[in-house]
Amino acid sequence: MSSAKQSATWDLQLRQLLLPKLDHDASECEDAIACDTHTARFAVADGATEAFHAQKWAKNLAEHWVSNESTLTLEEFRKWVTEEGQELRDSWNGLTLSWYSEEKARAGSFAAFVGVELDLKTDVPSWQAIALGDACLLHCRGGALLKSLPVSRSECFNSAPVLVASNCALHESTMQSVVIDSGSCENGDVLLLMSDAAAAWCLQRFEHGDFDADFLTARTDEDLNRFFDEERQAGRIRNDDLAVVRIEIKRRIS
């Protein structure tokens, strides 16, 4: 995508949150966020904890997808993931591994992924998204949830989602679960990219009629961190890494 996706009419207001599990250091977080306002591409990836080099795989997927131009069709996405997986495996060459780590390396790495690209060059902004796993995109307007993908209900999250695999031998089965969708936006619409624990919490709040899409903008970073720590301590959010990107589409004031 070129900078033609940008517009003198529309602006993007961003807020990001990336938190490790409770009582863990930030360096241990296996969620990843990548944003590029110039190309209007944004991504969240969530590395599977038990997988080999899951943190690196999630970071590669998020950062490299945002910097890539052609990954919004299933064919493009599959080709791109295959190349990323080979690059990850190549980075393991020369490592001295225990037998246990060698077994994990042979299986490869896994991560949930969601990426969205916005087109702001027209009077009606639009988005295209691609996702695999249980990292989600939520499209909000006012107090309503217009769309959630690839998971649409809080009770649909489970412990064994189909994930993006670095091992291309698994793609024949895993790529069948890729979700591709699109939508149009109005002034003030909010897109939320979230890893699974945050998305499940958010959807449950929507289902109970008490979610405020502006909650991320009404608090300082310190207050947000404290809020989510308290939500996890109370069991309202599963104690997991949390990644959230809030994108608000605003008409520029001339």
Side-chain angles (χ1 to χ4, degrees), residues 20-25 28 229 232-233 239:
K21 300 176 184 68
L22 287 173
D23 301 320
H24 284 64
D25 189 77
E28 300 174 273
D229 282 350
R232 289 185 289 188
Q233 288 166 350
N239 183 21

Side-chain angles (χ1 to χ4, degrees), residues 186-245:
E186 296 180 1
N187 184 43
D189 279 11
V190 172
L191 301 178
L192 296 168
L193 298 181
M194 296 180 156
S195 54
D196 60 337
W201 169 84
C202 185
L203 286 172
Q204 187 173 61
R205 296 287 292 265
F206 267 117
E207 291 156 10
H208 293 166
D210 63 352
F211 181 77
D212 178 7
D214 294 331
F215 81 102
L216 283 175
T217 61
R219 294 176 170 88
T220 65
D221 288 348
E222 184 177 342
D223 287 341
L224 270 180
N225 293 354
R226 185 182 305 111
F227 170 77
F228 279 109
D229 282 350
E230 291 172 353
E231 288 294 284
R232 289 185 289 188
Q233 288 166 350
R236 289 185 287 269
I237 300 181
R238 183 166 51 87
N239 183 21
D240 197 359
D241 300 328
L242 299 177
V244 180
V245 179

Side-chain angles (χ1 to χ4, degrees), residues 49-67:
T49 298
E50 296 305 315
F52 189 67
H53 279 193
Q55 183 186 63
K56 184 175 182 179
W57 181 232
K59 185 176 181 180
N60 285 359
L61 288 175
E63 293 182 352
H64 296 177
W65 188 89
V66 163
S67 64

Side-chain angles (χ1 to χ4, degrees), residues 135-222:
C136 293
L137 167 71
L138 281 65
H139 183 181
C140 313
R141 180 172 299 159
L145 176 63
L146 301 186
K147 185 173 290 187
S148 175
L149 65 97
V151 184
S152 59
R153 298 284 300 178
S154 61
E155 66 267 20
C156 294
F157 289 86
N158 60 66
S159 59
V162 178
L163 301 173
V164 182
S166 65
N167 185 348
C168 64
L170 302 175
H171 292 176
E172 193 63 35
S173 59
T174 58
M175 289 293 165
Q176 298 177 23
S177 298
V178 169
V179 172
I180 300 172
D181 210 335
S182 61
S184 57
C185 299
E186 296 180 1
N187 184 43
D189 279 11
V190 172
L191 301 178
L192 296 168
L193 298 181
M194 296 180 156
S195 54
D196 60 337
W201 169 84
C202 185
L203 286 172
Q204 187 173 61
R205 296 287 292 265
F206 267 117
E207 291 156 10
H208 293 166
D210 63 352
F211 181 77
D212 178 7
D214 294 331
F215 81 102
L216 283 175
T217 61
R219 294 176 170 88
T220 65
D221 288 348
E222 184 177 342

